Amino acid sequence: GLTYLVVTILGWSHNYRLTRSSIFRGAERRLERRVVSSVAALTTVSPGFRDLLVSLHAKPTFIVPNGFDEEPTPALRVGSGHDARAVFTYTGLLYDTSAVPLLFEAIDRLVDSGRTCARRAVVQFYGRNQAVALDALRRYPRVRPLVELHGEVSHDQALAAQQAATALLLLEPPEGWALSLTPAKLFEYVVAGRPIIATGMPGGEVDRLLRDTRTGTLVSTAEALADLLAMTAGRRHRGDALVPDADRSVIAMYSRR
């Protein structure tokens, strides 16, 4: 018979991205404890989540890192429709956190400063839940002309959008609860051959992975983000090569092959 069972879990009752009533959250925690009580061990994706699960359930917990699937991607190119502009692209589900308003505040700062890069840049969103962006844009009307909302697209179209970008946006909130997050899209981004501009908490899992792979930079304030966007746009307009000097040996560690 079955003597050893492992459940892959992130601690769903402690998912701070989801908003629920205290009654519903309490019911989820009881359900989680009941499910986990019958297993021999747990797996998760980062040291932070491992520590959380050990503290909650006192079960042996192992880390199985997320990663990317090796698949053919188109040759690197600059988006044909935006040759004169710097294109900053986000693909995937948008979460209702402080990260999207942080991005728009940074762009609003560039518009307010009169920097040329603000008039020669575009931010593209591909994926679901774009109402989050629309809601945040109400507070930043000067940013709206610089934002394109493309909605949900196929995976192949998302990959093509990544390849066509000047830089890729990874929007995580600069809050303590996000330190252990390792979004699946991050691993897709690191093999896209484009620099990654990330928001989040310094010292967290995203920051560590970007540093280890040498594929991008993480910032946590609107001022720092504005400067990074302006620098990237300036390099694009000067015709500089924007392929990151990635550490391929580190990236290969995250292949699912």
Side-chain angles (χ1 to χ4, degrees):
L2 183 64
T3 58
Y4 198 80
L5 177 63
V6 176
V7 171
T8 301
I9 189 172
L10 296 179
W12 71 79
S13 66
H14 289 73
N15 188 338
Y16 298 100
R17 281 175 164 164
L18 301 179
T19 302
R20 338 172 187 54
S21 69
S22 59
I23 295 176
F24 189 54
R25 187 182 291 275
E28 281 197 330
R29 288 178 176 173
R30 290 191 294 274
L31 176 61
E32 181 179 314
R33 287 195 297 268
R34 186 170 67 185
V35 170
V36 172
S37 67
S38 62
V39 307
L42 303 171
T43 66
T44 189
V45 296
S46 71
F49 282 136
R50 177 193 58 197
D51 295 344
L52 171 64
L53 291 172
V54 169
S55 70
L56 290 174
H57 303 297
K59 294 279 187 177
T61 305
F62 304 95
I63 298 172
V64 180
N66 212 329
F68 61 91
D69 297 315
E70 295 190 29
E71 53 189 335
T73 56
L76 289 177
R77 60 185 177 85
V78 176
S80 58
H82 302 284
D83 288 348
R85 295 188 287 178
V87 182
F88 299 100
T89 298
Y90 179 96
T91 63
L93 178 65
L94 267 182
Y95 291 96
D96 189 8
T97 69
S98 61
V100 175
L102 182 70
L103 170 65
F104 293 157
E105 180 185 346
I107 298 171
D108 193 64
R109 285 172 175 257
L110 295 178
V111 174
D112 189 57
S113 69
R115 295 196 208 182
T116 303
C117 63
R119 299 190 302 272
R120 301 172 62 189
V122 59
V123 177
Q124 299 180 332
F125 290 95
Y126 294 85
R128 290 182 290 149
N129 206 24
Q130 297 197 350
V132 170
L134 283 171
D135 182 61
L137 282 170
R138 294 190 182 98
R139 286 168 274 169
Y140 300 98
R142 295 185 300 183
V143 176
R144 184 63 184 92
L146 306 178
V147 174
E148 297 179 358
L149 302 175
H150 293 276
E152 191 168 1
V153 298
S154 70
H155 186 238
D156 286 345
Q157 288 173 307
L159 292 178
Q162 292 173 16
Q163 293 285 309
T166 302
L168 300 172
L169 297 172
L170 185 73
L171 303 177
E172 296 297 336
E175 300 167 19
W177 63 263
L179 277 169
S180 299
L181 293 177
T182 52
K185 76 163 65 54
L186 174 57
F187 298 91
E188 196 170 80
Y189 277 9
V190 298
V191 293
R194 293 303 190 202
I196 300 167
I197 295 175
T199 62
M201 281 290 286
E205 289 299 309
V206 170
D207 192 18
R208 179 192 62 77
L209 195 142
L210 290 176
R211 291 177 184 273
D212 289 350
T213 59
R214 301 201 304 262
T215 53
T217 303
L218 179 139
V219 294
S220 58
T221 67
E223 181 179 11
L225 181 56
D227 289 340
L228 184 55
L229 292 169
M231 181 186 69
T232 305
R235 292 183 58 197
R236 166 71 185 92
H237 298 146
R238 289 193 301 270
D240 294 348
L242 286 169
V243 178
D245 181 26
D247 189 328
R248 296 295 170 186
S249 62
V250 175
I251 292 175
M253 295 167 54
Y254 296 99
S255 171
R256 291 195 182 111
R257 176 174 292 178

